[in-house]
Each structure stands twice: as C-alpha cells, then as structure tokens.
Amino acid sequence: MDIIEKELDSRKSEIKKQVELLFRANMTITDWDVPEADDNKAAKILISIIKEAVADIEKDIEAGKYDY
C-alpha cells in the first residue's frame, strides 16, 4: 500500500460518513419541503442524483482534470 492509499484508507470511514450525512440532510430537506412524500421513492431519486454526481467526477478524472 502506498502513501496515498494509506492516507485515504485512514479517512475512509469519515468519507463514508460525510456521504451518508449528505444523503440524510437531503432526505430531511425533502421531508420538510414535501411532508407527504414517499420516502422510499425520494431515497431512490436522491441516491440516483448522488451516483450521477460521482459519475461526473469520474469523467473529470478521466479527462485529466485532477492531474496536477
């Protein structure tokens, strides 16, 4: 394991918690804005949006956006 892998591995649980917090915060906002919302449907749509954002980042990585 190289230094980058060690660094990110040491923060893995924190990164995962941050993603979960993003998800939960947006679920809460959805509940506030649309109290009668189907939470399961909202969760599926929200996770789809998060996946789309990750896919966009992956495209940026492949395009060299993070090659410093």
Side-chain angles (χ1 to χ4, degrees), residues 31-68:
D31 283 342
W32 289 340
D33 291 348
V34 189
E36 69 280 0
D38 176 342
D39 285 341
N40 187 273
K41 181 178 181 179
K44 288 178 181 177
I45 293 170
L46 180 55
I47 202 67
S48 175
I49 293 167
I50 292 170
K51 286 178 179 180
E52 182 180 334
V54 169
D56 290 344
I57 294 168
E58 288 174 331
K59 288 176 191 172
D60 289 343
I61 293 167
E62 291 301 315
K65 184 174 181 177
Y66 300 99
D67 293 346
Y68 302 121

Side-chain angles (χ1 to χ4, degrees), residues 1 4-15:
M1 190 178 289
I4 296 170
E5 292 169 324
K6 286 179 184 178
E7 164 63 18
L8 292 173
D9 189 57
S10 73
R11 294 192 345 244
K12 184 177 181 176
S13 65
E14 182 59 33
I15 293 167

